[in-house]
Amino acid sequence: MKVCLILTAVVLTAYSLSCGPTILPPDAKITIDLARPGAAVSPDMYGIFFEDINHAADGGLYAELIQNRDFEYNRPPEDMRWVDDSTVINPQGWKERYRRPADLHAWSLIQEGSVAARMQLVDEEPLNVTNPQSLRFEVTHLESGRAAVANEGYWGIPVQKGARYRLSFYARKDDRSSGSLMATLEGLSGETFASHEFTGLTEKWGRCDATLTSGGEDPQARLVLSAGSRGTIWLDCVSLFPEETWKNRPNGLRADLARMLDDMRPSFLRFPGGCVVEGATLENRIQWKRTVGEVAARPGHWNLWGYRATDGMGFHEFLQLCEDLGAAPMYVINAGMSCQGRGGMVARKDELKHYLQDALDALEYAMGPVTSRWGAVREANGHSEPFDIKYVEVGNENSGPDYHEAYKFIQSAIKSAYPGIVTIANEQIRLREDDRTRFPGVSLEMVDEHFYQSPEFFCDQSTRYDTYDRSDSVGIYVGEFAVSAGKPGMGNLRAALGEAAFMVGMERNADLVRMASYAPTFVNIRDRRWNPNMIVFNTSQAYGTPSYHAIKMFSLNRPDRVLPTTVELSVDSSGLRQEHLRGAIALSAWNTMAEFKDVRVEKNGKVLFEDDFSRGAGHWTQKQDRWDVIDGSFRNESTVMEAIATAGDSTWTDYSLILKARKISGDEGFIVYLLRHGDNQCIWNIGGWGNSVDVLMQDRSATRVDLGKRQVFSVAAGKWYDIRIDVKDGRLRCFLDGELRHDEQLRGPFIPSVHATSGICEQQGEVILKIVNPFADSKICRVELLSAPGVVPEGTALVLTSGSLEDENSFEQPERVAPRTTALRDLDGTFDYISPPNSLSIVRLKLRR
Ligand code: AHR
């Protein structure tokens, strides 16, 4: 036996590691069976999910440098109106909180010297109908100094010395103006880096173009347009692009950010979202036809994540990005539902055909011959060869009976028009055998599951797919996953290791899990709406979080086939005990108005608590919403996202909770909590996920796991249900109207483990072993290769680790937590690999031929 000693990440980069026999007993035994290669790992296993969130597109990957170029930024979300400066409302009365932008967001007026000028947002004589607003810039006095309008870009315009920038805009003037306008690129402290004088503006809209070469460097420059005379000038579609975009595409992408995607060698790209596909209202959903063609005629839309999007990075640009990355396009379409039931907006059955037609038109645009209606538009937009859409996902995070109907209708039509396309359904559609009769004709190819959880959850769920039902041959796509709870910082090593443990489990189950993508991908540090993200950037710099490096390591080290791999871990588990099962009860509803009555808690035949609400609701502590007692039952007043009322004692153990519940109106059913104390509780959600499932869940230290299987179920509004839950010695039995729906054992505290999977690259004769060590000390892993024809003594280890789990990358230290490669020597059929504390290692071994 040989040993490879790995000391620290620093040592790794400096030396090739000598190996020698060890006398230390191993902590973990990893056995790899080469005689029984398992499932093929999908070539499309690791990809990217792109959504314009956190200014990922505008002010991010999309290289446009002018913010609010079309002066449409202040328009409210589609089908909504501003109620005040922080609220919009839709016709159904559904409200959303968004900050109302200033009329001329990102633009400012400059009056220096003896001048008088003003700027206004106007809708007179628009450039085109889809772009009704423009900037009216009027100079009434210009004696000395300057009158100008300036754009600050997306928190600054980054300019580099010697770099060239393409400026364009549309303008017209009145008869007082001389028709001249000076464009300058100016640094933060006022220096001029480039200038160009435009003359000959007329009283009709005309396009002006110039290339500016910057004489200086500043990540926070601005564009200034100064009037050459008194008079009025109208401006629209003011655009500034670096000449160098990724692959030099016009209307292209920021090269450094696109390169980071390319470096991951993604096999697919899921686009354009996410929630943005669904919209805050149905009208607000991404409508691809409004995102193609001449940019000046694209109306843009209100991005559900709180800002206005130009849609300059539209359907065509996404397809081009896929082609340039060599990634299979995965197009997500709207299934007639707005995001997460906002305003309860669901398209009527007879409207679904429009949603389907829209999707079919998109597919024709991408793949149709140039003789077809939409194929011809693609050709006119500069791409006569078809793009190749490989995957279509019907809806995003949708669920419930409406979704089942929509999915069935849309999926079957897409499949018959494009049999080669692989269709993907949203998670909650997975049906048990006995539910299939309720939704006949639903045909599933792949199901998309999403997880935003703690590192403990992901480590725990590393075995999730080991026991998944495979009887229906439906593949799993984990379309969105990220550690977003349990101290992920802004993307630290702890988060990356949790995700890596989960990825180990996905790859080990490659027969089932065919694809995976982290989410979200990008964050502009000036607009962090979601945390964490994979790639962090400002105007001129970018770095990958440890999660970026981890998923890239998996993608670049994808084997062809899985090898059966077992891990036997000898950890000291003394001191790990079953969580103490105690806690109060709570009643709850999600986006729903519900009522509850005759609540009783019994223990060994004795009543611990009883409330018939005849004396009000004094026993209950309310969080969110207003609760009232009406006709002897306790109801939440409106339909806020999550209404909860808690009662009882955190010391209660082994009890039965008995009550009646009724849904009045809203999106879902009702929820009952028990054993609620601190970060621990159990949740029986009856009619969750858009009133589509019945699920029992447990929060252990704020980490939520399902107990048993989710069952398809919808609560009937207006009907009283009898609920009873018995808790005894960690066993939970849940009865609905006398029927036993769940009989599950509660889970104890999370027990960490070493996680490993391996696979083979057949052509190269290489074994790739991935090991996640989430412990704070190094672990000696005794690796045994069964039936190996012999192992070449030299190999490599690529290791992601750092001094602390809290460690993150930053603009100052972009590679603080990044993988380092080291050479391994003296490898053999059995060897010891010392996995560093808190690490992900990818060990590559060559087999003798
Ligand atoms: O990734 C961020 C959001 O999370 C996505 O838009 C949505 O699909 C999920 O809820």
Side-chain angles (χ1 to χ4, degrees), residues 576-649:
L576 297 174
R577 58 187 171 80
Q578 182 83 351
E579 192 89 79
H580 193 47
L581 302 170
R582 62 190 172 86
I585 59 166
L587 309 172
S588 173
W590 184 276
N591 273 336
T592 301
M593 192 189 287
E595 60 185 336
F596 304 86
K597 67 179 181 182
D598 300 336
V599 180
R600 202 164 74 247
V601 179
E602 293 175 358
K603 179 167 181 156
N604 300 329
K606 284 203 185 111
V607 175
L608 285 182
F609 172 87
E610 200 163 22
D611 200 346
D612 63 3
F613 301 100
S614 54
R615 269 172 290 166
H619 297 303
W620 299 84
T621 309
Q622 301 169 18
K623 187 184 129 205
Q624 312 264 33
D625 213 354
R626 256 196 63 195
W627 293 71
D628 283 316
V629 175
I630 296 171
D631 296 336
S633 59
F634 186 40
R635 65 161 70 166
N636 62 321
E637 195 178 61
S638 64
T639 54
V640 294
M641 186 78 98
E642 190 181 20
I644 302 185
T646 307
D649 196 319

Side-chain angles (χ1 to χ4, degrees), residues 49 51 53 270 273-276 278 305 340 396-397 450 452 480 519-520 530:
F49 163 49
E51 174 170 39
I53 179 172
R270 176 177 185 246
C275 290
V276 298
E278 304 162 89
W305 297 108
Q340 293 170 359
N396 171 66
E397 295 187 348
H450 294 177
Y452 293 102
E480 298 181 26
W530 188 285

Side-chain angles (χ1 to χ4, degrees), residues 431-627:
L431 308 175
R432 293 183 320 175
E433 205 45 53
D434 52 337
D435 295 317
R436 287 192 199 287
T437 48
R438 301 177 59 205
F439 301 103
V442 174
S443 136
L444 292 181
E445 297 184 89
M446 289 193 80
V447 169
D448 176 6
E449 299 194 344
H450 294 177
F451 304 95
Y452 293 102
Q453 287 273 3
S454 65
E456 291 77 17
F457 171 91
F458 280 109
C459 288
D460 185 82
Q461 296 289 305
S462 183
T463 53
R464 176 186 186 90
Y465 296 111
D466 295 358
T467 53
Y468 239 59
D469 178 15
R470 282 150 159 88
S471 59
D472 54 10
S473 318
V474 173
I476 300 285
Y477 162 45
V478 180
E480 298 181 26
F481 70 95
V483 166
S484 59
K487 300 200 230 140
M490 310 267 240
N492 56 24
L493 177 63
R494 182 202 312 281
L497 293 181
E499 292 145 8
F502 190 62
M503 284 191 274
V504 160
M506 291 197 268
E507 198 174 284
R508 188 175 53 241
N509 288 282
D511 63 314
L512 177 74
V513 184
R514 318 258 165 86
M515 305 166 87
S517 45
Y518 179 95
T521 293
F522 283 116
V523 59
N524 182 323
I525 47 142
R526 302 303 294 268
D527 187 32
R528 192 184 282 274
R529 300 198 177 233
W530 188 285
N531 182 60
N533 304 274
M534 196 165 70
I535 298 171
V536 184
F537 62 88
N538 58 20
T539 54
S540 56
Q541 298 161 288
Y543 64 85
T545 59
S547 300
Y548 168 79
H549 291 292
I551 191 163
K552 181 173 154 192
M553 286 165 74
F554 274 73
S555 178
L556 269 48
N557 292 281
R558 179 182 53 76
D560 301 325
R561 301 196 90 78
V562 177
L563 292 169
T565 308
T566 55
V567 181
E568 285 169 53
L569 180 64
S570 44
V571 280
D572 175 13
S573 60
S574 60
L576 297 174
R577 58 187 171 80
Q578 182 83 351
E579 192 89 79
H580 193 47
L581 302 170
R582 62 190 172 86
I585 59 166
L587 309 172
S588 173
W590 184 276
N591 273 336
T592 301
M593 192 189 287
E595 60 185 336
F596 304 86
K597 67 179 181 182
D598 300 336
V599 180
R600 202 164 74 247
V601 179
E602 293 175 358
K603 179 167 181 156
N604 300 329
K606 284 203 185 111
V607 175
L608 285 182
F609 172 87
E610 200 163 22
D611 200 346
D612 63 3
F613 301 100
S614 54
R615 269 172 290 166
H619 297 303
W620 299 84
T621 309
Q622 301 169 18
K623 187 184 129 205
Q624 312 264 33
D625 213 354
R626 256 196 63 195
W627 293 71

